Amino acid sequence: MARTVPDLKIRTLERFDGSIWRQYETDNYRILLTGAGRQLLNLRNMHRLLGPYVEDYTQGNEGVGSSRVFLAEGGNARVFSLGDDLVVKESRPTSESSLFASMDRTDRLKDAVEKHCPRWIDIPRYYGALMSKKNIYKQFMLEQKIDHGVTVGDIINYGEDNRSATGVLAFDSLDRFGPITPKLTEEVRDRFGSLKDWLARTVEIEGLDPSRYLPDINENPYNVVLERLNTPEAGSFIKYWVIDQ
Ligand SMILES: Nc1ncnc2c1ncn2[C@@H]1O[C@H](COP(=O)(O)OP(=O)(O)O)[C@@H](O)[C@H]1O
Ligand SMILES: [Mg+2]
């Protein structure tokens, strides 16, 4: 249902799982807040994090000393850390609707993964997105940050100039991630294979079209972010977070 406050339109979107998303729309912008995003706003003073970020974005500041700390870059997005546990993805989308549609699909996929996959496989929480209606290149998404952004690709192609074709990882991420031994590399390669099987089975059980829900997993090991755990979960010392589907 649409409610109109001067030029702000607010819509409530009821999701397949009963959670509530909100969309706020003005002449220039559209903002989507997920259920997790609404919770985040209730719990934390997001203005203290977002205010400086917006200023640094506007002035083009990034890096040490700014609030816009570069984490990684792929073919479609530049990713910045925001505080300890959030990332902002600045997207270069191919179409206006892509960001919202992708949040919708990811939400559906996350639900399926939680139901059918072991706990070492997960999908980060998506909090919300903002897009400019005047400039499709201004799209931002707020998402749960996973560790230091190191992916399966960074580990299995370690030592090669592996990211150059697909993007860049912050220079200190691999150091922060910790030692990369042959044993770790082998384990990550094995689990990545098993993860793809789990995901394929999961979408099949849920009747979801794999080409729509898992478009960029099979060929792209840079879409699985690794988190080292102190205590193993379901037998794994690393958690595998699927992103960018
Ligand atoms: N939630 C996240 N937490 C930590 N790092 C992330 C997260 N999302 C993305 N990254 C890092 O940013 C890179 C690019 O992000 P991605 O969403 O795959 O964008 P693109 O569409 O450009 O490929 C990833 O390979 C990963 O290193
Ligand atoms: Mg990617």
Side-chain angles (χ1 to χ4, degrees):
M1 218 203 313
R3 180 153 52 104
T4 312
V5 185
D7 62 348
L8 174 71
K9 281 192 220 114
I10 304 176
R11 286 183 61 201
T12 296
L13 310 166
E14 256 180 64
R15 303 288 302 161
F16 67 95
D17 60 355
S19 72
I20 302 283
W21 288 15
R22 287 234 159 78
Q23 181 176 290
Y24 303 84
E25 192 169 347
T26 67
D27 288 347
N28 294 327
Y29 292 100
R30 196 175 295 148
I31 292 175
L32 190 66
L33 263 189
T34 65
R38 293 172 53 230
Q39 236 167 15
L40 185 76
L41 288 186
N42 284 336
L43 292 172
R44 303 230 317 236
N45 181 355
M46 284 305 293
H47 188 73
R48 273 204 1 228
L49 277 178
L50 284 173
Y53 166 80
V54 170
E55 193 158 320
D56 283 332
Y57 172 83
T58 311
Q59 290 174 7
N61 301 329
E62 61 180 79
V64 184
S66 83
S67 64
R68 197 161 158 259
V69 182
F70 179 79
L71 186 65
E73 179 171 1
N76 301 304
R78 300 191 74 212
V79 182
F80 295 89
S81 301
L82 195 69
D84 295 332
D85 55 355
L86 300 170
V87 292
V88 177
K89 285 191 180 172
E90 298 175 2
S91 302
R92 296 184 292 266
T94 42
S95 80
E96 193 181 323
S97 64
S98 61
L99 194 60
F100 283 17
S102 121
M103 287 179 67
D104 171 57
R105 286 195 309 270
T106 302
D107 187 44
R108 187 73 192 76
L109 187 63
K110 183 171 171 62
D111 180 72
V113 163
E114 282 168 2
K115 281 184 187 142
H116 305 294
C117 290
R119 272 173 40 214
W120 55 270
I121 303 175
D122 211 336
I123 294 187
R125 246 175 265 132
Y126 283 22
Y127 297 108
L130 175 145
M131 41 181 261
S132 162
K133 296 206 284 194
K134 303 270 149 84
N135 178 355
I136 65 156
Y137 294 102
K138 280 194 178 168
Q139 293 202 12
F140 306 83
M141 193 168 74
L142 190 64
E143 182 179 323
Q144 177 185 3
K145 178 183 173 183
I146 308 304
D147 225 23
H148 307 295
V150 171
T151 63
V152 167
D154 296 305
I155 300 301
I156 61 181
N157 298 325
Y158 181 63
E160 295 162 33
D161 187 14
N162 62 73
R163 279 251 184 168
S164 53
T166 47
V168 186
L169 179 67
F171 74 98
D172 56 350
S173 283
L174 280 166
D175 284 345
R176 285 162 176 254
F177 182 73
I180 295 155
T181 60
K183 186 167 171 282
L184 176 89
T185 308
E186 197 186 311
E187 152 115 21
V188 168
R189 193 177 285 121
D190 284 355
R191 292 249 182 205
F192 182 52
S194 152
L195 173 140
K196 288 189 279 189
D197 293 344
W198 276 107
L199 291 176
R201 213 173 310 159
T202 295
V203 293
E204 195 188 328
I205 296 170
E206 293 281 314
L208 303 172
D209 174 4
S211 67
R212 208 170 115 71
Y213 283 85
L214 294 169
D216 201 11
I217 191 80
N218 286 318
E219 306 307 325
N220 195 342
Y222 298 93
N223 282 335
V224 181
V225 182
L226 303 175
E227 177 192 14
R228 258 195 226 264
L229 304 171
N230 294 320
T231 310
E233 284 195 30
S236 178
F237 270 99
I238 295 184
K239 198 153 175 168
Y240 294 69
W241 296 84
V242 178
I243 57 162
D244 193 21
Q245 294 307 303

